[in-house]
């Protein structure tokens, strides 16, 4: 069976914030979910858990349409919103990938402008898009045509945020000399008020972060995980409804707990190779998929509380190498992976020489522009 390594092609730099966080007790300890990790001798086929649903090439007819880096994909009302933090904008396409609009012309210091955008989330209930900025601290509220409806100024910012029902959840990182991370919530109509602290986690290693997102919002609630914590918490209406305590065995922190006040140097020496950060979650009603600070793909059966990790995953359906999970909202049973343009080009060239290119690759070839925006492949989780 062909082995295709999963590669990391994007990242997020976490910053300290002046969040109004206070310590709160964790939820009751949940029984561990045992994780079986398969080594490089076992490759997981995409066809065993995914169906290829749709291939979308994002057009780029003008400069503001170009996407530097996809941090989140938001799907709603035949719209695709790309959160491009590296490009400092949100870019909107229709359901077929045609460019419609972006916030690029709103960068500035004037009225209805911003200097730096942090994160974005759908308010599916009221059909709005919330875009959070840290320069200045504010929440920009758009309709689904990316028309600005309101700006709400704030006294703090969140490194990540998501909307669920009438709440906004956010992750805040403490400003030195304090340390740790907290999950906060506030009414979506009043994000300018001091947020409630729902959970805190303090046993972290300063300066050691992984790449990816730690919040997932879907119809059954919001999922959150903290760096250096083994738990995945499921929230609904501000309350914990489920807790998964992931046990990676000898490969994780439950078997090698971090001593309090560990230094970055000591962490790099003894713990850096462990699974210590869960990111990029994607979920269906039955399965929860995620990455860690390492490159593996993990798949958990939520009902049976069984989880397996795979060092190799082979895309036997479209033959295109797929990397880490792209965090999404608005795909209740779907998932999107990063696709490297160079890998797509190599695959198409190799099959073109055989003169028997599969239909799916012909469709990819029609939608792919090596000089343009990323190609999106939407998969449905079985």
């Amino acid at each position: 069976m062909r082995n295709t390594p999963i590669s990391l092609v994007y990242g997020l730099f976490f910053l300290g914030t002046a969040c109004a966080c206070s310590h709160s007790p964790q939820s009751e300890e949940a029984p561990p979910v045992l994780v079986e990790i398969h080594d490089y001798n076992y490759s997981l086929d995409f066809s065993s858990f995914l169906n290829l649903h749709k291939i979308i090439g994002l057009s780029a007819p003008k400069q503001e349409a170009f996407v530097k880096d996809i941090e989140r994909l938001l799907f709603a009302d035949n719209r695709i919103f790309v959160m491009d933090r590296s490009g400092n904008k949100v870019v909107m396409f229709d359901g077929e990938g045609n460019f419609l609009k972006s916030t690029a012309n709103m960068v500035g210091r004037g009225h209805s402008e911003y200097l730096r955008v942090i994160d974005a989330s759908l308010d599916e209930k009221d059909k709005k898009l919330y875009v959070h900025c840290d320069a200045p601290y504010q929440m920009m509220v758009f309709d689904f045509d990316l028309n600005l409806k309101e700006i709400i100024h704030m006294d703090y910012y969140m490194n990540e945020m998501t909307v669920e029902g009438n709440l906004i959840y956010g992750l805040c990182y403490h400003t030195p000399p304090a340390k740790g991370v907290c999950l906060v919530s506030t009414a979506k109509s009043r994000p300018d008020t001091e947020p409630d602290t729902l959970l805190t986690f303090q046993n972290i290693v300063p300066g050691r972060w992984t790449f990816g997102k730690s919040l997932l919002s879907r119809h059954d609630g919001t999922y959150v995980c903290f760096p250096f914590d083994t738990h995945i918490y499921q929230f609904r209406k501000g309350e914990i409804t489920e807790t998964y305590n992931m046990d990676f065995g000898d490969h994780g922190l439950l078997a090698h707990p971090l001593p309090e006040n560990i230094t970055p140097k000591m962490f790099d020496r003894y713990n850096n190779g462990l699974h210590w950060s869960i990111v990029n979650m994607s979920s269906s009603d039955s399965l929860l998929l995620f990455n860690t600070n390492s490159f593996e793909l993990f798949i958990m059966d939520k009902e049976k509380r069984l989880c397996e990790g795979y060092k190799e995953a082979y895309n036997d359906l479209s033959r295109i190498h797929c990397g880490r999970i792209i965090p999404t909202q608005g795909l209740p049973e779907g998932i999107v992976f990063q696709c490297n343009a160079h890998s797509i080009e190599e695959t198409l060239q190799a099959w073109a020489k055989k003169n028997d290119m599969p239909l799916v690759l012909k469709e990819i070839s029609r939608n792919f522009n090596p000089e343009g925006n990323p190609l999106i492949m939407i998969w449905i989780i079985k």
Side-chain angles (χ1 to χ4, degrees):
M1 185 175 296
R2 179 180 175 181
N3 290 329
T4 306
I6 297 175
S7 64
L8 174 64
V9 292
Y10 73 106
L12 168 65
F13 296 96
F14 290 115
L15 306 173
T17 82
C19 168
C21 295
S22 60
H23 302 301
S24 63
Q26 298 282 20
S27 66
E28 293 184 7
E29 185 66 20
V33 177
L34 299 179
V35 182
E36 181 180 2
I37 299 178
H38 300 284
D39 62 21
Y40 290 103
N41 295 320
Y42 188 97
S43 178
L44 176 69
D45 287 342
F46 272 31
S47 60
S48 65
F49 69 105
L50 295 174
N51 289 317
L52 181 56
H53 174 64
K54 192 172 185 179
I55 298 168
I56 303 173
L58 302 178
S59 68
K62 56 178 69 176
Q63 184 62 36
E64 67 173 300
F66 278 98
V67 175
K68 287 187 178 181
D69 189 25
I70 301 177
E71 285 209 352
R72 286 197 196 274
L73 285 171
L74 311 173
F75 297 83
D77 281 13
N78 198 37
R79 295 285 192 270
I80 304 172
F81 300 95
V82 178
M83 174 61 213
D84 180 10
R85 185 171 176 179
S86 297
N88 200 25
K89 61 192 174 185
V90 176
V91 190
M92 179 175 68
F93 302 87
D94 68 17
E96 302 305 316
N98 300 302
F99 170 72
L100 297 176
K101 199 174 182 180
S102 85
T103 63
N105 62 353
M106 303 179 70
V107 177
R109 296 181 178 272
H111 179 67
S112 300
E113 294 180 340
Y114 65 88
L115 293 177
R116 189 166 58 233
V117 68
I118 293 296
D119 207 354
S121 180
L122 298 172
D123 175 7
E124 299 179 84
K125 178 181 178 182
D126 293 334
K127 295 186 179 297
K128 293 179 181 178
L129 177 73
Y130 282 70
V131 178
H132 185 47
C133 309
D134 76 338
Y137 296 169
Q138 64 184 22
M139 194 73 72
M140 307 180 77
V141 186
F142 298 82
D143 63 20
F144 280 175
D145 289 321
L146 211 57
N147 298 313
L148 181 63
K149 311 304 290 185
E150 184 181 11
I151 291 181
I152 305 173
H153 296 285
M154 303 167 64
D155 294 327
Y156 66 98
Y157 88 96
M158 302 169 286
N159 296 80
E160 294 183 41
M161 52 83 63
T162 192
V163 177
E164 178 224 298
N166 294 318
L167 293 178
I168 293 176
Y169 295 95
L171 283 179
C172 297
Y173 292 81
H174 293 213
T175 302
K179 66 175 184 177
V181 57
C182 57
L183 175 71
V184 302
S185 71
T186 185
K188 70 182 181 186
S189 59
R190 293 300 307 275
D192 54 332
T193 59
E194 183 174 328
D196 294 324
T197 300
L198 304 179
L199 281 176
T200 62
F201 188 77
Q202 294 191 3
N203 195 23
I204 67 172
V205 182
R208 298 299 182 266
W209 311 110
T210 192
F211 300 114
K213 295 289 190 181
S214 302
L215 290 176
L216 165 68
S217 184
R218 60 188 311 271
H219 65 85
D220 61 349
T222 295
Y223 295 79
V224 60
C225 44
F226 296 147
F228 303 97
D229 189 9
T230 59
H231 298 79
I232 300 174
Y233 299 100
Q234 183 180 356
F235 277 81
R236 192 165 183 83
K237 298 180 179 180
E239 301 289 338
I240 295 176
T241 58
E242 188 62 84
T243 302
Y244 304 99
N245 186 12
M246 311 307 299
D247 184 354
F248 298 97
D250 288 340
H251 302 275
L253 290 181
L254 284 183
H256 307 274
L258 295 180
E260 196 164 343
N261 299 318
I262 185 173
T263 65
K265 184 176 180 180
M266 292 296 291
F267 173 77
D268 291 343
R269 182 175 181 181
Y270 295 108
N271 302 95
N272 196 34
L274 302 176
H275 296 283
W276 48 263
S277 187
I278 298 169
V279 291
N280 303 337
M281 292 174 288
S282 196
S283 181
S284 66
D285 287 341
S286 58
L287 300 179
L288 180 67
L289 293 82
F290 60 88
N291 300 134
T292 70
N293 51 287
S294 296
F295 298 99
E296 286 81 352
L297 173 66
F298 292 86
I299 304 177
M300 179 179 68
D301 186 312
K302 292 191 285 188
E303 181 179 354
K304 296 179 180 179
R305 304 179 78 88
L306 297 174
C307 184
E308 294 184 270
Y310 301 89
K311 293 181 180 294
E312 299 283 356
Y314 171 50
N315 181 357
D316 58 323
L317 297 175
S318 70
R319 279 81 167 183
I320 301 297
H321 169 234
C322 292
R324 287 167 73 92
I325 298 169
I326 298 177
T328 64
Q329 187 181 0
L331 290 179
E333 301 290 320
I335 188 171
V336 180
F337 295 90
Q338 286 279 356
C339 296
N340 182 278
H342 180 68
S343 175
I344 297 175
E345 282 189 280
E346 284 191 337
T347 302
L348 293 176
Q349 291 171 3
W351 279 93
K353 296 176 181 178
K354 300 179 181 180
N355 296 318
D356 61 347
M357 182 179 290
L359 290 177
V360 64
L361 287 180
K362 291 180 180 179
E363 183 180 357
I364 290 173
S365 180
R366 288 192 297 269
N367 285 275
F368 174 63
N369 179 2
E371 304 299 325
N373 273 334
L375 183 75
I376 295 175
M377 286 189 282
I378 300 175
W379 304 84
I380 299 300
I381 303 171
K382 291 181 177 179

